[in-house]
């Protein structure tokens, strides 16, 4: 039996969420190519330098906020119901939150579009980070708020399914996939509290004209309280795939279930009290606070380093099961022709590189060299744009047959797609990092900056621009391959032949019984999370609001 036969209602929910995610990455990807052409000077007549900011906003919102969130709620819906072997309580509630997310997305997108095409008098050239003093039309904030509130509904569904399962299995350990989904959603709820306060108390009333001004430092701090943790809301679903499905694709089993649980708990507890590493350049925050949050940022490297160990060890185990031998020769025994495997392995390689980039960003003094330069988009096109996005695309090849009951089509296109993505991204992100080091700023439509710059010692500015644009076109070709495979599979007939995908996920080599039960008690970890948050954010936020909620001011603590 496949998933679609066991859970036809939930499978429809997952398919719908995925369809919106894929429409969003298709459109966002096309806008990405326009960005590359415009920013490198290849085609500056594409749009005005004012519209550049709205188009950049649309690209960022579609890729980083809409594609990710919809894919994640779909993936977890599959993972929770599959691993608990229980459906959701009431699918009307499920369709309700998915509908809310969709409504919010349409509202935000139309608001951005209004600013470009002018068919309605809206504007949202505020970029995907949308913090003050940039201001958008109220419908933009309202749309994003609905997207977030809708996604909380997904978390409620997962927790309810877990409680139903718990009633029947009082002594069992939570299945790993559900454990991961719930930990990630808890992290999501904790971190979105910051952006919810920012939007509901400050930005929305301000754009409605109800309050005359906001305190940029306070609202930026609330934003970054959310803005760093959100990157782990994107990453953890990729880790969910790396831990629970990738070992099987490699031919083996996960090395250690307890270690996987520890990693997710560490992310829940440590992800949020580090947001100030995005504000090293902000005047008004004390150097001491920046130093403390730099230190906690280096702690948050730990769960990713543990992941590198466990996931690569599981991969090696799989390769040896397939007959792989030697110190490194086992790499050849892996199924590199299977796009689900190769996509995830390449995503992991990209993440290893960008993780080191993250360590550079996190250094309080070194950050001054890279902050607000093209280095930063270079960093996040490798992290969210490859480690996360390529994993999501790769696992779609494995999930789609189970969600539709149809065999994957256009397999050759699917097999080359991850390699195209990887090559395109190596060119584009490498060039972005390097022009960033040469001082080219991010988020500007003003070309004159680049004319005064010296060429880098390794390549001229022209060569690097060529790499950016060439990389962007290869990425777009890869995206078209992906969409063609998905569409063709989806529209294909459901034949009588078997799917060629076995959805069974084997137990870990070292099972959950080797870990203390307290790991499964989320109340403890949420309490610890709030305690750390109070220590990290309590004193600076208290200092900021001392001169009034809406008055600009600094936080000497
Ligand atoms: Fe970051 C800026 C620091 C991870 C995303 N980051 C950004 C922005 C985004 C972003 C979107 O400290 C820009 C925001 C904006 O628009 O202003 N980042 C870090 C650090 C990490 C990190 C320390 N970032 C991410 C992830 C993201 C992401 C994950 C998205 C998903 N980042 C920063 C800082 C800034 C920043 C500063 C502000 C910069 C500024 O000045 O504005 C760490 O979490 C990274 C840890 C990762 C590792 C790598 C482990 C390796 C693994 C691979 C295993 C290999 C396998 C494959 C499985 C330690 C797990 C093997 C295959 C074979 C064939 C062998
Ligand atoms: Cu960060």
């Amino acid at each position: 039996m496949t998933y679609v036969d066991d859970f036809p209602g939930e499978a429809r929910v997952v398919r719908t969420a995925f369809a919106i995610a894929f429409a969003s990455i298709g459109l966002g990807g096309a806008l990405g190519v326009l960005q590359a052409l415009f920013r490198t000077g290849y085609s500056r007549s594409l749009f005005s330098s004012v519209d550049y900011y709205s188009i950049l906003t649309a690209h960022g919102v579609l890729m980083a906020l809409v594609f990710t969130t919809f894919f994640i709620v779909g993936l977890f819906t599959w993972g929770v119901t599959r691993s608990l072997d229980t459906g959701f309580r009431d699918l009307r509630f499920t369709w309700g939150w998915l509908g809310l997310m969709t409504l919010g997305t349409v509202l935000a997108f139309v608001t951005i579009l209004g600013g470009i095409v002018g068919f309605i008098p809206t504007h949202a050239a505020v970029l995907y980070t949308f913090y003050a003093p940039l201001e958008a039309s109220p419908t933009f904030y309202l749309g994003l708020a609905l997207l977030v509130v809708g996604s909380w509904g997904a978390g409620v569904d997962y927790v309810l399914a877990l409680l139903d399962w718990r009633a029947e299995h009082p002594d069992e350990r939570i299945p790993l996939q559900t454990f991961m989904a719930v930990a990630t959603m808890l992290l999501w709820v904790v971190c979105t509290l910051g952006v919810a306060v920012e939007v509901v108390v400050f930005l929305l009333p301000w754009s409605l004209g109800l309050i005359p001004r906001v305190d940029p430092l306070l609202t930026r701090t609330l934003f970054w309280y959310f803005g760093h943790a959100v990157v782990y809301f994107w990453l953890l679903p990729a880790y969910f795939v790396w831990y629970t499905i990738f070992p099987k694709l490699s031919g083996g089993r996960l090395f250690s279930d307890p270690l996987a649980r520890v990693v997710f708990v560490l992310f829940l507890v440590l992800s949020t009290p580090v947001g100030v590493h995005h504000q090293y350049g902000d005047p008004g925050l004390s150097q001491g606070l920046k130093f403390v949050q730099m230190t906690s940022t280096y702690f948050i490297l730990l769960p990713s380093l543990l992941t590198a160990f466990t996931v690569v060890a599981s991969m090696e185990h799989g390769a040896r099961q397939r007959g792989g031998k030697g110190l490194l020769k086992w790499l050849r025994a892996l199924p590199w022709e299977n796009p689900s495997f190769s996509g995830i392995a390449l995503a992991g390689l990209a993440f290893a590189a960008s993780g080191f980039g993250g360590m550079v960003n996190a250094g309080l003094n070194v950050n001054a060299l890279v902050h607000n330069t093209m280095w930063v988009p270079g960093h996040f096109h490798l992290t969210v744009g490859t480690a996360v996005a390529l994993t999501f695309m790769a696992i779609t090849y494995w999930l789609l047959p189970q969600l539709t009951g149809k065999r994957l089509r256009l397999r050759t296109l699917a097999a080359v797609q991850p390699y195209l993505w990887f090559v395109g991204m190596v060119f584009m992100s490498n060039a972005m990092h390097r022009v960033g080091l040469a001082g080219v700023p991010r988020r500007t439509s003003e070309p004159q900056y680049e004319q005064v710059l010296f060429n880098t010692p390794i390549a001229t500015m022209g060569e690097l621009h060529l790499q950016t644009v060439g990389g962007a076109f290869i990425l777009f070709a890869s995206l078209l391959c992906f969409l063609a495979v998905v569409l063709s599979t989806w529209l294909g007939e459901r034949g009588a032949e078997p799917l060629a995908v076995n959805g069974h996920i084997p137990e870990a080599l070292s099972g959950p019984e080797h870990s203390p039960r307290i790991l499964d008690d989320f109340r403890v970890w949420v309490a610890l999370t709030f305690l750390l948050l109070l220590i990290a954010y309590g004193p600076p936020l208290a200092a900021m609001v001392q001169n009034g909620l809406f008055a600009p001011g600094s936080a000497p603590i």
Side-chain angles (χ1 to χ4, degrees):
M1 290 294 266
T2 48
Y3 183 77
V4 60
D5 299 315
D6 291 338
F7 298 104
E10 284 76 4
R12 255 187 91 205
V13 171
V14 183
R15 288 199 306 266
T16 309
F18 280 9
I20 298 170
F22 299 152
S24 169
I25 195 181
L27 190 56
L31 297 177
V33 174
L34 300 186
Q35 282 297 319
L37 285 168
F38 185 88
R39 268 305 305 255
T40 51
Y42 275 86
S43 189
R44 296 198 60 84
S45 52
L46 275 172
F47 35 78
S48 75
S49 48
V50 174
D51 282 344
Y52 163 86
Y53 297 99
S54 297
I55 291 171
L56 182 55
T57 307
H59 171 63
V61 167
L62 287 174
M63 299 304 241
L65 306 181
V66 179
F67 163 66
T68 50
T69 311
F70 275 88
F71 192 89
I72 291 165
V73 295
L75 178 73
F76 281 169
T77 294
W78 167 81
V80 168
T81 51
R82 191 211 66 86
S83 66
L84 297 176
D85 199 17
T86 166
F88 286 154
R89 266 190 205 173
D90 186 350
L91 279 179
R92 281 170 307 181
F93 175 70
T94 310
W95 285 109
W97 58 252
L98 197 59
L100 215 57
M101 287 174 62
T102 312
L103 180 69
T105 301
V106 171
L107 210 58
F109 184 66
V110 169
T111 310
I112 305 171
L113 215 60
I116 307 168
V117 192
F119 62 100
I120 39 168
T122 56
H123 60 98
V126 292
L127 310 174
Y128 78 119
T129 43
F130 59 86
Y131 42 65
L134 298 178
E135 189 190 39
S137 301
T139 43
F140 178 76
Y141 301 117
L142 192 65
L144 291 185
L146 292 182
L147 176 63
V148 168
V149 172
S151 68
W152 289 347
V156 171
D157 251 342
Y158 308 152
V159 171
L160 289 178
L162 174 60
L163 293 176
D164 288 347
W165 174 89
R166 178 54 89 204
E168 297 197 353
H169 306 80
D171 299 319
E172 277 179 44
R173 298 301 293 265
I174 303 175
L176 186 57
Q177 284 193 326
T178 301
F179 180 91
M180 292 175 157
V182 171
T184 309
M185 291 317 277
L186 287 173
L187 160 69
W188 177 237
V189 172
V190 169
C191 77
T192 44
L193 289 178
V195 75
V197 173
E198 186 207 8
V199 166
V200 176
V201 181
F202 298 101
L203 299 186
L204 197 54
W206 175 50
S207 76
L208 283 168
L210 300 176
I211 51 174
R213 60 176 180 272
V214 294
D215 173 357
L217 184 64
L218 174 60
T219 48
R220 267 172 71 86
T221 306
L222 286 170
F223 180 85
W224 285 118
Y225 161 102
F226 152 83
H228 179 77
V230 69
V231 312
Y232 298 127
F233 172 66
W234 302 328
L235 180 73
L236 293 190
Y239 277 8
F240 161 103
V241 171
W242 295 9
Y243 276 104
T244 66
I245 312 174
F246 184 62
K248 174 198 160 98
L249 296 172
S250 315
R253 289 154 66 185
L254 171 62
F255 210 62
S256 164
D257 171 303
L259 200 59
R261 285 177 206 250
V262 169
V263 163
F264 273 66
V265 165
L266 283 173
F267 272 115
L268 170 59
V269 175
L270 296 175
S271 282
T272 314
V274 300
V276 170
H277 71 222
H278 292 263
Q279 295 179 278
Y280 289 152
D282 281 21
L285 290 176
S286 78
Q287 217 47 14
L289 177 71
K290 291 174 183 172
F291 186 85
V292 169
Q293 294 221 8
M294 170 180 76
T295 313
S296 33
T297 302
Y298 283 109
F299 277 118
I300 195 71
L301 293 175
L302 181 67
S304 283
L305 293 169
L306 290 175
T307 301
F309 167 75
T310 328
V311 172
V312 177
S314 311
M315 186 173 94
E316 181 181 345
H317 167 73
R320 294 198 188 279
Q321 296 296 107
R322 297 165 62 96
K325 300 249 171 336
L327 195 62
L328 286 174
K329 261 203 206 138
W330 55 265
L331 279 166
R332 283 205 228 140
L334 290 163
W336 292 100
E337 72 296 341
N338 173 353
S340 300
F341 171 84
S342 64
I344 297 171
L346 295 173
L349 276 181
F351 193 51
S354 55
F356 286 107
M359 295 177 205
V360 170
N361 299 346
L364 181 48
N365 48 357
V366 191
N367 180 267
L369 183 70
V370 296
H371 186 58
N372 277 342
T373 71
M374 284 300 285
W375 167 284
V376 176
H379 165 70
F380 69 68
H381 279 83
L382 283 178
T383 51
V384 64
T386 305
V388 173
L390 188 53
T391 298
F392 288 177
M393 289 190 257
I395 210 58
T396 300
Y397 298 134
W398 189 76
L399 281 175
L400 205 54
Q402 303 178 52
L403 294 170
T404 57
K406 298 170 183 175
R407 282 174 78 100
L408 194 72
R409 298 186 31 178
L410 303 183
R411 285 168 175 267
T412 317
L413 270 195
V416 295
Q417 184 270 328
Y419 294 95
L420 276 181
W421 191 273
F422 186 76
V423 171
M425 199 56 96
V426 165
F427 277 117
M428 191 176 87
S429 72
N430 181 49
M432 284 172 152
H433 276 95
R434 276 160 56 182
V435 297
L437 284 182
V440 174
R442 65 186 287 208
R443 300 178 149 176
T444 176
S445 61
E446 298 308 319
Q448 62 267 32
Y449 280 109
E450 282 154 40
Q451 285 156 13
V452 295
L453 283 168
F454 49 89
N455 291 326
T456 70
I458 311 157
T460 64
M461 200 55 81
E463 283 160 5
L464 290 173
H465 282 340
L466 185 61
Q467 286 185 29
T468 305
V469 167
F473 272 103
I474 299 175
L475 284 163
F476 193 57
S478 170
L479 188 54
L480 291 180
C481 292
F482 170 75
L483 293 174
V485 175
V486 169
L487 216 62
S488 150
T489 303
W490 214 313
L491 299 178
E493 289 293 311
R494 193 173 172 175
E497 77 273 36
L499 282 184
V501 167
N502 168 4
H504 174 71
I505 294 177
E507 288 290 306
L509 286 171
S510 165
E513 65 282 2
H514 297 289
S515 64
R517 295 194 81 90
I518 193 173
L519 269 183
D520 285 13
D521 192 345
F522 285 117
R523 287 167 308 182
V524 176
W525 308 121
V526 170
L528 189 59
T529 306
F530 277 109
L531 181 69
L532 286 183
L533 278 175
L534 202 68
I535 298 171
Y537 274 104
L541 285 179
M544 274 177 224
V545 298
Q546 256 168 24
N547 56 348
L549 267 188
F550 305 108
S554 62
I557 294 176

